Amino acid sequence: MTVPDHELRRAYNGYYRAAPETEDVELTHVGPGTACGEYLRRFWHPVCLSSQLTDLPLALRVMGEDLVAFRDRSGDIGVLHRHCSHRRASLEYGVIAEHGIRCCYHGWLFAVDGTILETPGEPADSPIRDTLCHGAYPAREYRGLVFAYFGPPDGVPDFPVYDTLDMPDNEMVPYAIDMPCNWLQVNENPMDPFHAVFLHTRATGVQFKQSWEATGVVDWHWMPGRAGVFVTDTRRWEQFLWTRTAELYPPNFAQPTDFNQDASGEVFFNRPCASKWIVPVDNTACRLIAWRHFNAMIGGTPDYDSIGVNKVDFVGQTGTERTTEDRRRVPGDYEAQVGQGPITVHSQERLGQTDTGVAMLRGLLRREIRAVAAGEEPRRASPGADNRIATYSGDFVVSVPRDVKDPEQQQRDFGRALAAILIDTLGLPFTQRQAEVKNRLQALQHN
Ligand code: FES
Ligand SMILES: [Fe+2]
């Protein structure tokens, strides 16, 4: 049914707006052979925490594929199709071997690369081992997370190391959160800084800091080469201009700024409190897999008991840590994103100016998905001279007298100047870049 515009504008129009709608298939369907699934499979994705690989295999589901992950007794990690190549028994019940995993049903043994090492019930001269490999994906471990690459085996990309992943004197604590909704609605949240003002502060009370209630002047910026999008959100708080930056490297890497940050003193590029990926489980579920950072910049000490599988040390991130009533009275990120439904329906939305970043991200993903469908390689973040991919997320608090004539323009100018500095310093190694950003901000401050 096509609904005329005048019906959309009138009161009590539920009847017209209840028309069944279908989701944005191109961006939300992730299974094998789908356009988005093909694009996503060109990247390394975290799949679980290292600590989840015990003496028992771990059943996983990633992008609509049932898998099993394990660490064999020699220490190698396997990420394999879950169902045995013989007659489909689940390798979740397999027996971890010195090299590989043995199916419980008839004892076939699979190496971490899928090679069939033994088919014990078959005749010794059985050709099976030479004619078939079990489904397997390259896997590796990095700082307590297990990553896998799900694309064509001839095109394994370099493993991406972002500059925040090996900061000096930084402790990284892995965690993962299951979310029963499509990956995209969680993934686009970092492009929406306005939700911090409302969801986290004004709507049901202060969840983090009172100063988050100040509405900032927001700009969204393309990274050079359209490698991704980052946001500058600049607010006035007493004598300070305070900019928070957040980035999204496509398809699914983002870093939230420190939730304990306030504008009580000057800060020059305090780095984020977490680095995270949103990995599709299937079309209607995803998993946030991340590290919490702890370092002198952002302070705090890790409470290991409250960071891990389906738990993290800040409010509103999981569906399991609070009662249903608490989640209804003080909804957080989890409720806002999962509450959009299993797959949010874009044609039922009405985007505003504050959704510019969401629209930029969707456009970027759509272009990349179509490029891969056309046989091209997707754009991937490229490392700088120190072999690290420079990132943008952080806090900047600088004492600047208020421009009484046009405070809003002053905020905008400051945010844009900072964005230019962040881009201009991309080529520098991590600590040098931080120092250079500080120098340039101080020069700006005294102009
Ligand atoms: S089903 Fe796995 S060995 Fe037969
Ligand atoms: Fe949030």
Side-chain angles (χ1 to χ4, degrees), residues 61-205:
R61 188 165 162 78
V62 181
M63 291 187 278
E65 296 183 46
D66 289 325
L67 306 168
V68 67
F70 61 94
R71 187 196 309 275
D72 72 16
R73 295 212 300 264
S74 77
D76 292 339
I77 291 178
V79 173
L80 268 53
H81 284 182
R82 194 187 304 168
H83 295 286
C84 177
S85 281
H86 177 214
R87 278 187 26 236
R88 308 279 295 157
S90 173
L91 295 177
E92 178 185 4
Y93 306 108
V95 179
I96 293 175
E98 182 64 23
H99 293 288
I101 188 169
R102 190 179 294 283
C103 178
C104 66
Y105 206 8
H106 313 96
W108 288 22
L109 179 66
F110 304 102
V112 294
D113 66 358
T115 305
I116 302 176
L117 300 172
E118 295 175 14
T119 54
E122 291 291 309
D125 60 351
S126 163
I128 289 175
R129 277 178 289 158
D130 303 322
T131 56
L132 185 68
C133 237
H134 186 71
Y137 294 112
R140 61 165 293 171
E141 220 172 354
Y142 185 82
R143 293 184 176 264
L145 293 181
V146 176
F147 291 78
Y149 164 74
F150 298 92
D154 290 335
V156 184
D158 291 339
F159 183 77
V161 180
Y162 296 92
D163 58 7
T164 39
L165 304 192
D166 61 358
M167 294 188 286
D169 305 317
N170 181 43
E171 180 167 3
M172 295 158 70
V173 184
Y175 68 99
I177 295 170
D178 291 302
M179 303 182 78
C181 67
N182 186 256
W183 77 289
L184 185 66
Q185 61 214 58
V186 180
N187 198 47
E188 60 197 16
N189 179 64
M191 294 291 95
D192 169 19
F194 293 95
H195 88 274
V197 176
F198 300 99
L199 177 71
H200 295 316
T201 314
R202 292 190 197 171
T204 59

Side-chain angles (χ1 to χ4, degrees), residues 184-403:
L184 185 66
Q185 61 214 58
V186 180
N187 198 47
E188 60 197 16
N189 179 64
M191 294 291 95
D192 169 19
F194 293 95
H195 88 274
V197 176
F198 300 99
L199 177 71
H200 295 316
T201 314
R202 292 190 197 171
T204 59
V206 177
Q207 296 179 356
F208 299 109
K209 295 283 183 180
Q210 187 71 46
S211 51
W212 289 34
E213 71 183 0
T215 315
V217 172
V218 175
D219 272 312
W220 293 268
H221 313 266
W222 289 112
M223 297 176 190
R226 300 214 165 189
V229 184
F230 71 100
V231 186
T232 50
D233 176 7
T234 306
R235 73 211 63 190
R236 162 64 60 181
W237 192 259
E238 298 166 351
Q239 78 266 37
F240 300 108
L241 284 177
W242 174 18
T243 303
R244 315 204 83 184
T245 51
E247 72 217 303
L248 199 134
Y249 266 113
N252 57 349
F253 178 76
Q255 304 190 107
T257 43
D258 181 27
F259 56 85
N260 279 320
Q261 185 66 57
D262 215 335
S264 50
E266 290 201 314
V267 156
F268 297 93
F269 212 179
N270 272 4
R271 300 313 319 263
C273 70
S275 300
K276 65 179 185 181
W277 285 259
I278 308 300
V279 182
V281 170
D282 51 31
N283 292 351
T284 57
C286 64
R287 184 170 296 126
L288 181 157
I289 304 184
W291 295 280
R292 274 278 281 121
H293 295 289
F294 293 92
N295 54 59
M297 276 181 285
I298 59 175
T301 46
D303 172 5
Y304 300 106
D305 288 341
S306 60
I307 308 170
V309 177
N310 284 319
K311 53 187 183 177
V312 70
D313 58 341
F314 50 109
V315 73
Q317 306 303 304
T318 71
T320 50
E321 290 179 289
R322 297 189 297 159
T323 65
T324 304
E325 178 168 348
D326 284 350
R327 292 173 45 226
R328 291 173 65 199
R329 292 197 185 281
V330 185
D333 287 303
Y334 181 94
E335 286 73 31
Q337 293 155 27
V338 174
Q340 290 172 20
I343 308 182
T344 194
V345 177
H346 292 168
S347 58
Q348 291 274 39
E349 298 173 332
R350 175 58 63 90
L351 299 188
Q353 193 273 330
T354 54
D355 304 302
T356 301
V358 169
M360 287 167 78
L361 174 63
R362 290 181 189 172
L364 174 57
L365 292 171
R366 213 179 288 284
R367 276 196 303 279
E368 294 298 302
I369 288 167
R370 290 177 186 177
V372 169
E376 297 170 25
E377 280 294 302
R379 263 177 282 207
R380 297 189 184 89
S382 35
D386 59 350
N387 246 346
R388 300 289 174 263
I389 298 163
T391 62
Y392 301 72
S393 283
D395 278 286
F396 309 81
V397 183
V398 181
S399 179
V400 180
R402 181 192 296 268
D403 177 343

